[in-house]
Amino acid sequence: MSQQKVDKYKEQKAKRKELVEKERKQRKRMKALVIAVVLVVAAGVGTGIGFTIRNQYLKIQNSKPDYSSSSLVLQDMAGILAEETSEAAGENGGEESGETKDAGETEAVKETEAADGTEN
């Protein structure tokens, strides 16, 4: 029985280098696997946090009022916008600005008189 133990010990000693190399390779593989898993998890968490921050930012930006000229325009109940656009078109069309304003003013007076039911 003791001879069997000795033989077993000699075999292990002879294969010790191979076993040590296998263990090293296995440790390296495990380290690489652990690093890869940690990187994937960190990237996933970082992406999730990034999208959450981005969505919150967009939500805040969309809730702010828009001060561009088109958003400030209410319904043109008095016909003011039509007057302004006709004045601008008149100035660009080569007419004198004084004539365009007079014509616009008289049209506005007629419209308000017609709305009030009074005439001059």
Side-chain angles (χ1 to χ4, degrees):
M1 185 115 119
S2 113
Q3 187 60 36
Q4 289 175 349
K5 288 182 180 179
V6 171
D7 290 340
K8 195 174 186 180
Y9 176 76
K10 285 182 180 180
E11 284 179 27
Q12 287 179 350
K13 187 175 180 182
K15 294 181 181 180
R16 189 171 296 164
K17 285 185 180 181
E18 294 173 7
L19 291 174
V20 169
E21 286 297 318
K22 282 184 183 179
E23 288 177 6
R24 282 185 192 160
K25 287 180 182 179
Q26 189 175 6
R27 278 191 221 127
K28 284 183 181 181
R29 281 190 222 126
M30 286 302 291
K31 278 185 180 180
L33 182 64
V34 167
I35 290 172
V37 168
V38 167
L39 287 176
V40 168
V41 169
V45 170
T47 302
I49 290 171
F51 274 114
T52 302
I53 291 170
R54 179 181 174 269
N55 289 339
Q56 289 295 324
Y57 174 76
L58 290 176
K59 183 179 175 183
I60 291 169
Q61 291 299 319
N62 290 336
S63 68
K64 289 182 179 178
D66 186 15
Y67 294 114
S68 67
S69 62
S70 62
S71 70
L72 294 177
V73 175
L74 299 175
Q75 288 182 342
D76 188 19
M77 294 182 180
I80 297 170
L81 292 177
E83 292 174 22
E84 290 176 1
T85 54
S86 65
E87 288 176 12
E91 290 175 7
N92 292 337
E95 297 179 4
E96 292 180 7
S97 61
E99 293 177 29
T100 307
K101 285 184 182 178
D102 291 338
E105 289 173 359
T106 57
E107 289 176 13
V109 170
K110 288 178 185 178
E111 288 177 8
T112 55
E113 289 174 355
D116 293 337
T118 59
E119 292 184 18
N120 284 344

